[in-house]
Each structure stands twice: as structure tokens, then as C-alpha cells.
Amino acid sequence: MFGYRVPAPDEAMLISGGRRGLGGAPFRVVTGHGKFVIPFFRKTRFLTLSMCEAEVTETCVTRQGIALHVRAVIAFKVGNDHESIINAGQRFLSDQDQMSVLTGRIFAGHLRAIIGSMTVEEIVTERQKLAAEVLDTSKTEMAKIGLIVDSLQIQSIDDGDAGYIDAMSAPHKAAIQRQAQIAQAQATQASAEAEQEAARKQAEYARQTAVVRAEYSAEVDRAQAQAAQAGPLAQAHAQQEVLAAQTELAQRQAKLRQQQLVAEIVKPAEAEAERIRVLAAAEAQRMKIQAEAAASYDRVALDRMLIDQLPQIVKEAAGGLAGANVNVLNGADGLGEIAAGLVSQGLTILDSVRQNLSGQDGGGRRPEEGEDSGLLQLPTSKQKRSDDGPTPVD
């Protein structure tokens, strides 16, 4: 739009003509927005607010009198406030490159002054302290010209051919070299140990590999041997199983035959023997019963016969006495005694016969021929009289 001017983000627009600026400045400052500017009656100029750089290379003498070549870099810019912009615009608007030149000169002076109050050891070991002191001492001067310093970096410090810094660093170098040698020796030792360990592991691996190969070879040989023996072993096992099956079959057949023989012969024989034993026992019992019945019948019949024959026996005995040469004493009493003796003998004979029959029934034996049966032998008429004469009777 005609007459409307807008500054860049890193610029400050300075409008001169017309009313004065803030604080009696000969121009007005516009930043961050546009402004209508009347042509021909107003004039606009732009001041950079971007970062600028100044490099300082200066030879400085330390408190010890040793000359040091110091190289530093300063980063600075125009301040963002209106006062800094006005101060910088009044000094550098027509030639803004002079800001770097002037800033380098200012810092060179402060750098010489501060290094002159420090030793080489402090400067070398405390560079940050050196930069902070330079910034602190130059802050007031830089603010007067509208500039602010963002950073100060000491790039290098060199004593030229004096060799002071090298001598100062010699013990450290020696220590570092010693540590480097120790580290190198340790590294060499560790490398040798690593090589030995690697060789040992390689040998161990080779040994294990040989062992595994031997085991594999032995296993293959065993497998081949087993495979070669598998056929005969299988045939032998099959024959053993056949023999075992045949043996078991023969045992079962023998057991079955035994059971058949028991069922066909032994059991019937045992049954027949039991039948015969039962029949024999029954027959023996029957015969015993019959014998007992017969014996009982015989005893009854014999007793009856003896009783029936007893008078005849007595008569025969008496008849025998009739022909005998017997001297009877005491008269009638003597005859009575003889008769009574005959009757008594008859009864004795009857008891003896009964006892003999009882003995035979009870398992006793019969008297053999010639033995005395226990019966009284009565003299008969055929007996001869004793030569000595008749036996006296008391």
C-alpha cells in the first residue's frame, strides 16, 4: 500500500521528520508492526537487530611477563529496547559494519587488562573465568553504544616460542605418556591373554570336536554292528518265542490230557472204588449182622439142646458109674453125694459150652484137637478100673 512501511522481524524501522521520538530522540522507532509514512515529508531507515560477530586476535602479557597470543570470538547484537536501538542508531545507522570493528577493539582492551592480572596457569586452566571477567567489565561500555554481548569464546592461547605452556604441560604430558604406556602395556597383556584364551578355547573346541567325532564314529559303528546283528538276533528271538509258545502249548496240552485222564480214568476208578468200598462195607455189615444173628440163634439152640440133653447126659453118666468099680462109703449119704456131683458136673458142662460159644463170638479161638475144652471128662463103662483098686471116697 502506498506509504505503508513494515520492518523485517530482525530490523528496527527509524522514521525521521515530523515529531521527535521517545526521550527526545531525533527519530521514532517502530519494531514488529507497520506504519504509514508520508512520502517526501518523512524518511525511513532500517537498523539490523540480528546477531553480529567480532573476532579479536591480541598479544597480551601476563602477570608473569609472558606474552600470550589470544584469539577470541564475540557474539553481539543491538538491544531490543528502544533506548539501545536509539543509541545504536545514532552511532552505527550510516555504517553498521563499524559495530563489529568497535566491539573488537573494546574487547581487545579489556582482554589485555584482565590477562595482565592473571598467570599463565590461571589463563590456561580457567578460560571460562577469563571470559566472564571480560564480559563483566565490558558490559557497561557496550550498553552505552546500544549493544549487548551474548557470548565470548576464547579460541586459542599460545605463548609462541617461549615454550612455557609446553613446559607447564610437560609433567602432565609425561604422566599422560606414562599412563598411555601403562594402558598400552595393559592392552598388550590383555591382547596376549586374549590370544592365549582364544588359542586355549580353539584347542578345547578342537578337542571337543575330536571327542564328538569319535563318539559319533563309535555310535555309527555300534549302530552298524547292531544292524548287522539285528537279523540273527531277531531270528533267534523269534525262535525263542516259537519254542516258548510250543512249550507253553505242550504244557497246556499235557495239563489238558491230565485233566482228561483224571476225568476219564481216575474219577471213574475212584467212583468205582468208592462204590466197591461202600458195597464191601455194606456186605461186611450184613454178614456181621447175619453172624451175630446166627450166633445168637446157635446159642439159643445149643442152650435148648443142652437143656434137653442134660437128663440124658446125667443118665449116661450114671450108667457109666453102674459098671464102675466104685466103693460107696457112708451108705445112702454117699450115693446122694455122687448124684449131686453128677448134676453139678452137668451144669458145669453147660456153662463151659456157653463160655466157649461166647469166646468164639467175641473173637476167641476154638480148642484144637487134643486140648482140654474145660469140660469134665466122666468115666464111661468102657474105662478100666485102676489096678490099685477103687478110689476111696472120703
Side-chain angles (χ1 to χ4, degrees):
M1 184 178 292
F2 180 76
Y4 190 79
R5 308 295 296 274
V6 179
D10 58 348
E11 289 180 339
M13 186 173 62
L14 307 181
I15 303 174
S16 60
R19 293 180 301 170
R20 288 183 174 272
L22 182 64
F27 48 80
R28 289 179 292 170
V29 177
V30 178
T31 59
H33 59 87
K35 191 77 174 176
F36 281 103
V37 178
I38 301 174
F40 307 109
F41 296 98
R42 303 287 186 270
K43 187 176 182 178
T44 59
R45 301 286 296 275
F46 294 93
L47 178 66
T48 181
L49 302 179
S50 62
M51 182 68 64
C52 299
E53 180 180 306
E55 183 175 344
V56 177
T57 302
E58 192 70 20
T59 300
C60 307
V61 179
T62 65
R63 189 175 61 185
Q64 299 162 319
I66 298 172
L68 298 178
H69 302 285
V70 181
R71 181 174 176 271
V73 177
I74 304 100
F76 66 95
K77 66 181 291 294
V78 177
N80 294 328
D81 59 290
H82 284 197
E83 183 179 359
S84 298
I85 293 173
I86 292 172
N87 292 334
Q90 289 177 343
R91 290 172 176 80
F92 306 110
L93 185 59
S94 58
D95 189 4
Q96 298 185 26
D97 292 335
Q98 289 295 320
M99 289 189 294
S100 298
V101 176
L102 182 59
T103 301
R105 292 175 180 176
I106 293 172
F107 272 88
H110 289 288
L111 194 61
R112 286 195 301 269
I114 293 175
I115 287 176
S117 63
M118 298 176 67
T119 62
V120 178
E121 290 80 5
E122 293 175 348
I123 295 169
V124 173
T125 58
E126 298 179 2
R127 290 188 180 185
Q128 191 63 32
K129 178 181 178 182
L130 173 62
E133 290 184 1
V134 172
L135 286 174
D136 187 57
T137 55
S138 62
K139 185 182 298 184
T140 303
E141 293 181 12
M142 295 294 289
K144 289 180 180 180
I145 59 177
L147 301 178
I148 58 174
V149 179
D150 288 339
S151 67
L152 170 63
Q153 296 294 330
I154 306 298
Q155 296 291 322
S156 63
I157 299 175
D158 185 14
D159 61 352
D161 296 333
Y164 187 89
I165 296 177
D166 292 336
M168 184 179 63
S169 62
H172 300 287
K173 288 181 179 179
I176 291 173
Q177 290 177 356
R178 183 171 60 254
Q179 291 177 358
Q181 292 175 356
I182 293 173
Q184 183 64 33
Q186 292 177 349
T188 304
Q189 182 179 359
S191 177
E193 291 177 354
E195 291 179 357
Q196 293 177 358
E197 183 67 17
R200 186 185 67 79
K201 288 183 178 180
Q202 186 175 3
E204 181 67 18
Y205 178 75
R207 185 186 68 81
Q208 292 179 357
T209 303
V211 171
V212 171
R213 287 179 178 175
E215 291 178 353
Y216 285 164
S217 178
E219 187 174 356
V220 170
D221 294 340
R222 286 196 300 269
Q224 292 178 351
Q226 291 177 358
Q229 296 176 357
L233 287 176
Q235 186 176 2
H237 286 308
Q239 292 178 355
Q240 289 181 357
E241 292 179 356
V242 171
L243 291 175
Q246 291 177 352
T247 303
E248 185 178 359
L249 179 60
Q251 291 177 355
R252 290 183 178 180
Q253 290 178 350
K255 186 175 181 181
L256 180 61
R257 182 59 182 165
Q258 182 180 3
Q259 293 176 355
Q260 290 177 352
L261 291 175
V262 169
E264 294 176 358
I265 299 176
V266 176
K267 292 298 182 180
E270 290 180 354
E272 183 65 21
E274 183 66 20
R275 188 183 66 82
I276 294 172
R277 186 184 64 77
V278 172
L279 292 176
E283 183 65 21
Q285 186 67 22
R286 186 183 64 81
M287 293 178 66
K288 180 179 179 182
I289 293 172
Q290 290 179 354
E292 289 178 356
S296 177
Y297 177 78
D298 290 341
R299 283 196 302 272
V300 172
L302 183 59
D303 290 344
R304 183 175 295 173
M305 183 183 66
L306 289 177
I307 293 171
D308 293 340
Q309 296 295 327
L310 184 58
Q312 184 66 28
I313 292 172
V314 174
K315 182 178 179 180
E316 291 294 333
L321 289 176
N325 187 13
V326 177
N327 294 324
V328 179
L329 301 179
N330 296 329
D333 295 331
L335 289 174
E337 291 176 358
I338 290 173
L342 290 174
V343 174
S344 176
Q345 288 183 2
L347 296 174
T348 302
I349 290 170
L350 180 60
D351 292 335
S352 297
V353 172
R354 289 177 176 174
Q355 290 177 1
N356 288 332
L357 291 176
S358 300
Q360 292 176 2
D361 295 337
R365 66 183 182 87
R366 296 178 181 272
E368 296 180 359
E369 185 179 358
E371 287 185 353
D372 187 6
S373 60
L375 297 177
L376 177 61
Q377 300 291 329
L378 296 177
T380 61
S381 60
K382 296 181 179 181
Q383 290 180 345
K384 294 182 178 181
R385 185 176 53 84
S386 175
D387 293 339
D388 292 336
T391 302
V393 179
D394 292 338

